[in-house]
Structures are given as structure tokens and as C-alpha cells.
């Protein structure tokens, strides 16, 4: 019953209310009202990630208005549904508003027959890179963790005094003889 999944396939889904609220209130993001996004004449809010691995990434959330029955409402707000249904005929979502001069997101519970913009989330597969030392008394390794398909991971081996690095191994095969190496993440490793 997810509009994004139904239209674009299993990789896509509607955002959760939690994801919308994170964009709205987390101090990891900035929110800026724009009256003419990249010269397009479109108004809306640009949300930009301020920290972490995705620092600098942004998304434009347009004030595209909405349609209820036969009435079209001017693009003075942006309305987006989340993935949460509240009853058989309605769904929770968010409205972006700048009428007070301060951009904000508020929760809505509208009939699902109201036409709103769709902002889908792509679900990328994630994988685990497990980097372990063959013997912790000889040294340590860094760089393990969770990664999105296609990312690269930098692994570093630091031998303790009196020891030297030999190689990185994967499935009983030598992967690299460099203490600092990069792996492409396309599966669990």
C-alpha cells in the first residue's frame, strides 16, 4: 500500500514520520526557506546534512501545494505523506510551511485521496565489513562497520612494537599486503 513501492518497485518506500521529524528538528540538519530554487521559480525548503558521512548532502522539498477533491490549493505549502496509515481512509504526513517566516514541519492526518507530493526514500542494501586482527597481542585493526552498497571502506592495521604487518586476508585468500588498504563494499566482508 506504499505509493513509492507501488510506483517504483521494492527499492523505494515512503519516508517514516520519524525520518520526516529528523529532517525537521535534528541539529544534524539545517533548514533554509528558498523563494527561487536554482532559478526554477519554485519555493520550498532545502534541508542540508551538517555532520557525519553524508555531510553537505541536501534535499529540496518543494511547496507544490495539494489537491483535495476538485480544488487545487496554491503552492504556498508543501505537503508529503509518510508511510503510516492512520485508518483505512487516511494517512499521516507532514506539511512544510513558511507563513510565519520560520520554516517548520507539522504533522497532518489527511484523507489519502488528497493529492500531495511524493518524496520517496531509496533503500540501499547495507553490508558489514568485519576487520579483525589474527592476534590482538600483535596489533589492532580499524575500519570495520556498516556500509551502503558501492561505498569504499578504508582498513588500517597497526602492529604493536616488535611485530610487523603481513597481509589482509579474506576467505583464506590474501587480499592486500598493505597495512592501509581500501575495499569496495558490494557484499558482507
Amino acid at each position: 500500500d506504499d505509493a513509492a513501492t507501488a510506483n517504483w518497485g521494492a527499492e523505494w518506500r515512503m519516508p517514516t514520520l520519524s525520518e520526516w521529524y529528523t529532517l525537521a528538528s535534528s541539529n544534524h540538519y539545517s533548514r533554509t526557506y528558498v523563494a527561487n530554487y536554482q532559478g526554477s521559480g519554485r519555493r520550498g525548503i532545502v534541508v542540508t546534512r551538517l555532520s557525519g558521512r553524508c555531510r553537505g548532502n541536501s534535499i529540496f522539498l518543494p511547496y507544490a501545494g495539494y489537491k483535495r477533491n476538485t480544488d487545487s490549493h496554491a503552492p504556498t505549502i508543501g505537503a508529503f505523506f509518510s508511510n503510516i496509515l492512520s485508518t483505512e481512509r487516511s494517512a499521516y504526513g507532514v506539511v512544510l510551511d513558511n507563513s510565519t517566516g520560520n520554516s517548520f514541519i507539522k504533522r497532518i492526518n489527511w484523507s489519502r485521496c488528497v493529492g500531495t507530493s511524493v518524496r520517496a526514500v531509496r533503500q540501499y542494501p547495507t553490508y558489514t565489513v568485519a576487520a579483525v586482527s589474527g592476534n590482538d597481542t600483535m596489533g589492532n585493526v580499524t575500519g570495520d562497520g556498516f556500509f551502503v552498497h558501492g561505498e569504499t571502506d578504508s582498513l588500517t592495521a597497526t602492529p604493536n612494537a616488535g611485530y610487523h604487518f603481513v597481509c589482509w586476508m579474506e576467505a583464506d585468500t590474501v587480499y592486500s599486503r598493505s597495512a592501509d588498504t581500501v575495499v569496495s563494499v558490494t557484499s558482507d566482508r
Side-chain angles (χ1 to χ4, degrees):
D1 197 34
D2 184 296
T5 304
N7 285 292
W8 299 306
E11 287 185 339
W12 295 92
R13 64 173 175 79
M14 298 295 287
T16 66
L17 273 178
S18 175
E19 288 167 332
W20 280 117
Y21 289 144
T22 297
L23 288 179
S25 60
S26 170
N27 59 5
H28 295 289
Y29 295 90
S30 69
R31 290 154 292 282
T32 307
Y33 171 76
V34 291
N36 187 13
Y37 181 69
Q38 296 183 344
S40 67
R42 293 186 181 105
R43 294 181 297 161
I45 297 174
V46 175
V47 181
T48 304
R49 178 76 178 186
L50 299 175
S51 62
R53 169 172 80 196
C54 297
R55 180 186 173 126
N57 287 1
S58 63
I59 184 171
F60 175 65
L61 302 171
Y63 283 15
Y66 61 96
K67 186 169 184 162
R68 183 175 297 197
N69 300 323
T70 59
D71 299 327
S72 292
H73 297 269
T76 56
I77 64 168
F80 303 88
F81 281 129
S82 72
N83 68 336
I84 299 172
L85 300 177
S86 62
T87 67
E88 185 178 310
R89 294 186 51 213
S90 64
Y92 290 114
V94 294
V95 170
L96 312 173
D97 193 347
N98 195 56
S99 59
T100 63
N102 296 315
S103 300
F104 68 91
I105 298 179
K106 64 182 177 183
R107 183 175 172 157
I108 58 172
N109 183 9
W110 285 356
S111 168
R112 292 184 345 169
C113 68
V114 173
T116 68
S117 299
V118 171
R119 264 298 185 220
V121 175
R122 189 167 183 190
Q123 302 182 108
Y124 291 97
T126 57
Y127 301 109
T128 302
V129 174
V132 295
S133 173
N135 184 332
D136 289 338
T137 61
M138 296 180 183
N140 62 54
V141 297
T142 59
D144 59 341
F146 299 98
F147 299 87
V148 173
H149 181 87
E151 285 186 313
T152 57
D153 179 20
S154 298
L155 300 173
T156 301
T158 307
N160 289 335
Y163 295 95
H164 67 277
F165 175 79
V166 177
C167 65
W168 289 99
M169 300 211 42
E170 182 173 27
D172 297 326
T173 303
V174 173
Y175 176 80
S176 172
R177 296 199 182 277
S178 172
D180 297 307
T181 194
V182 174
V183 296
S184 178
V185 182
T186 56
S187 63
D188 289 329
R189 302 186 77 164

